[in-house]
Amino acid sequence: MTASRDATGRSLEDYPRPSLAVDTAVLTIKDRALCVLLVRAVDVDDATAWRLPGTFLHPGETLADAVTRSLRDKAGVTGLHPEQLHVFDDPSRDDRGWVLSVAHLEVVRADRIPATAENRLVSASEVPDLPFDHRDIIDFAVEALRRRYESTPDPSDLVDPAEPDGSFTLRELRQTHEAVAGRPLPPDTFRRTMQGSLVDTGRLSLGRRGKPATLFRRLPG
Amino acid sequence: MTASRDATGRSLEDYPRPSLAVDTAVLTIKDRALCVLLVRAVDVDDATAWRLPGTFLHPGETLADAVTRSLRDKAGVTGLHPEQLHVFDDPSRDDRGWVLSVAHLEVVRADRIPATAENRLVSASEVPDLPFDHRDIIDFAVEALRRRYESTPDPSDLVDPAEPDGSFTLRELRQTHEAVAGRPLPPDTFRRTMQGSLVDTGRLSLGRRGKPATLFRRLPG
DNA sequence: GAAATAGTGTCTTTAAGACATTATCCG
DNA sequence: CGGATAATGTCTTAAAGACACTATTTC
């Protein structure tokens, strides 16, 4: 450990520091629409009550750990794969003081989000007014998720598992991707794009109507 | 300004805060190779003396401002377009204390980097041992720059302006892209990919040898 | 003319999209 | 059988890469 002095002779402790927060856009699919999770803030009770789940970074903690902790404590969601998106750093973004926020993206199936009075799912395309820059964070997260879903079959495991073993039909997979993309996708092109990353299980879905569909699984690799 | 208390009744000021730094990979082209700028640290004089230019965030400052300030003060570079890359947050990444670093990418022509004893350009493919996680930051920056150069002609203005008006030949443009990509690029495919984003100036280069080449300019849009 | 460089033509492959057609189930 | 859904075939277009060829300059 060398002397921690800089060019002006000041030590690390002399610098004013910002508060560092994480805010997470938890995206999911509900009723075939891409939705984002809002939580009710505990310290206010007005129009700004709903916001993205977030927290301040604790000592010794990584950003991913802080995201996981905040989702568990504030929304009852056990988030598994937080992805760092961007630091929002406008000095006046939070009127409580100098707070920077590292925005994250988390993706879970809707059935893993507890339906409490403190949790609220809203359509990602019709986000209400939110405090801070939480709307910008949501837009950032939606774009990141759409890129992630462009050429890989359901990388974040959003498909509702109709089959107990987790296999799915191409129709179910496509409807999931359409919800993420926010637009219809041509079925034949979608099939050809995705089929290379899927394994034919040889089994068929118990069709409700029409021809039974082949059940696929993701490629192990 | 509402009461800034959280669920546990603590105010914002009660939270321990990390130090927040910015570190910037300044990429440039020298002798047709992609290079990164290292600066000599003022507080040490050993093998860890060379590192990426960085600084701590000052109150009221944006991250981009801190990058611009650190490049001006530490390397004499007037950086114009810092791009935020990623937050490096390993709690033990800096043995001086709890320091998170927001990594940035800056791209300038080599002639804008002063050739002082405190500045050193090294090949991005043969980076020496560096303190902290500065090597990871460089790798992150190189990947970002390569993506940026994939389908757009010289978006960061690296082409050496042989012509006073800033126009260039396709050969000059391609050699710039080859330096960024770190591999040769097929000339005919490169031409066809880029020509849609270029304007033919109608003028020809004063060729040293061979057929004079058409001079192009970037599309205004 | 020889060397060097610029620029074009053509062929193959691949992938996307549009659209039609066939296949197989349920009622 | 008729409706609904699954799956495939075919055609067009576009773009990349490989490669050969032509064009224009300097030496």
Side-chain angles (χ1 to χ4, degrees):
Chain A
M1 181 117 175
T2 57
S4 26
R5 305 270 157 185
D6 73 358
T8 63
R10 286 192 296 180
S11 81
L12 204 59
E13 292 72 30
D14 296 334
Y15 286 95
R17 304 175 190 179
S19 297
L20 195 57
V22 294
D23 286 303
T24 307
V26 178
L27 298 183
T28 193
I29 292 177
K30 187 187 173 189
D31 302 332
R32 291 206 188 141
L34 188 61
C35 294
V36 61
L37 170 66
L38 303 180
V39 297
R40 189 194 298 272
V42 293
D43 57 344
V44 291
D45 191 24
D46 58 8
T48 68
W50 295 99
R51 57 183 62 173
L52 294 179
T55 187
F56 289 102
L57 191 63
H58 287 185
E61 195 178 43
T62 63
L63 294 166
D65 288 342
V67 168
T68 303
R69 173 174 56 78
S70 69
L71 295 187
R72 173 171 35 82
D73 295 351
K74 303 207 173 178
V77 174
T78 51
L80 297 172
H81 305 294
E83 177 186 327
Q84 195 193 108
L85 294 178
H86 190 77
V87 184
F88 287 79
D89 66 340
D90 183 340
S92 60
R93 62 177 287 281
D94 189 329
D95 63 9
R96 294 172 302 179
W98 189 25
V99 181
L100 277 74
S101 174
V102 186
H104 284 74
L105 163 65
E106 182 60 87
V107 188
V108 298
R109 272 201 299 274
D111 54 25
R112 286 172 51 198
I113 300 176
T116 68
E118 311 304 314
N119 285 347
R120 182 178 159 200
L121 282 178
V122 303
S123 163
S125 59
E126 296 165 19
V127 177
D129 284 338
L130 295 179
F132 318 120
D133 41 21
H134 284 191
R135 190 180 206 140
D136 298 330
I137 293 177
I138 293 170
D139 291 344
F140 214 104
V142 168
E143 283 313 302
L145 185 65
R146 286 185 175 159
R147 272 195 302 276
R148 189 192 285 184
Y149 266 69
E150 259 168 19
S151 54
T152 310
D154 192 29
S156 299
D157 201 26
L158 278 173
V159 166
D160 199 25
E163 297 297 313
D165 67 346
S167 61
F168 46 80
T169 67
L170 272 169
R171 180 189 184 80
E172 290 162 349
L173 182 67
R174 179 167 48 84
Q175 286 174 340
T176 300
H177 279 250
E178 286 174 341
V180 169
R183 64 185 174 88
L185 300 172
D188 48 1
T189 300
F190 181 80
R191 165 186 300 270
R192 280 186 274 252
T193 307
M194 296 297 167
Q195 213 158 15
S197 308
L198 296 173
V199 184
D200 188 332
T201 65
R203 293 182 304 106
L204 299 177
S205 70
L206 302 157
R208 305 164 182 277
R209 240 178 338 191
K211 180 174 173 178
T214 307
L215 287 166
F216 291 92
R217 202 189 297 270
R218 290 183 199 78
L219 250 189
Chain B
M1 182 115 172
T2 57
S4 27
R5 305 271 156 185
D6 72 357
T8 63
R10 287 192 295 182
S11 83
L12 205 57
E13 292 72 29
D14 296 335
Y15 286 95
R17 304 175 189 181
S19 296
L20 195 57
V22 294
D23 286 304
T24 308
V26 179
L27 297 182
T28 192
I29 292 177
K30 187 187 173 190
D31 303 331
R32 291 201 189 146
L34 188 61
C35 294
V36 61
L37 170 67
L38 303 180
V39 297
R40 190 194 297 274
V42 292
D43 57 343
V44 291
D45 190 24
D46 58 9
T48 67
W50 295 99
R51 59 183 61 172
L52 294 180
T55 187
F56 289 102
L57 190 63
H58 287 185
E61 196 178 43
T62 64
L63 294 166
D65 288 341
V67 168
T68 303
R69 172 173 56 78
S70 69
L71 295 186
R72 171 170 38 79
D73 296 351
K74 303 208 173 177
V77 174
T78 50
L80 297 173
H81 305 294
E83 176 186 328
Q84 194 194 109
L85 294 177
H86 190 78
V87 184
F88 287 79
D89 66 340
D90 183 340
S92 60
R93 62 177 288 281
D94 189 328
D95 64 8
R96 294 173 301 180
W98 188 26
V99 182
L100 276 75
S101 174
V102 186
H104 283 75
L105 163 65
E106 182 59 88
V107 187
V108 299
R109 273 200 297 274
D111 56 24
R112 287 172 52 197
I113 299 176
T116 67
E118 311 304 314
N119 285 348
R120 183 177 160 200
L121 283 179
V122 303
S123 163
S125 58
E126 295 165 19
V127 176
D129 283 340
L130 295 178
F132 317 119
D133 40 21
H134 284 190
R135 189 179 206 140
D136 297 331
I137 293 177
I138 294 170
D139 291 344
F140 214 102
V142 168
E143 283 312 304
L145 186 65
R146 286 185 177 158
R147 271 194 303 277
R148 190 192 285 185
Y149 266 69
E150 259 169 20
S151 54
T152 310
D154 193 30
S156 299
D157 202 26
L158 278 172
V159 166
D160 199 26
E163 297 296 314
D165 67 346
S167 62
F168 46 80
T169 67
L170 271 169
R171 179 189 184 79
E172 291 163 347
L173 181 68
R174 179 166 49 83
Q175 286 173 341
T176 300
H177 280 250
E178 286 173 342
V180 169
R183 63 185 175 89
L185 299 172
D188 48 2
T189 301
F190 181 81
R191 167 187 299 272
R192 282 186 272 252
T193 308
M194 296 296 166
Q195 213 158 15
S197 309
L198 297 173
V199 183
D200 188 331
T201 65
R203 295 179 304 106
L204 298 177
S205 69
L206 303 157
R208 305 163 182 281
R209 240 178 337 190
K211 178 174 173 177
T214 307
L215 288 167
F216 292 91
R217 203 190 296 270
R218 288 183 200 77
L219 249 190

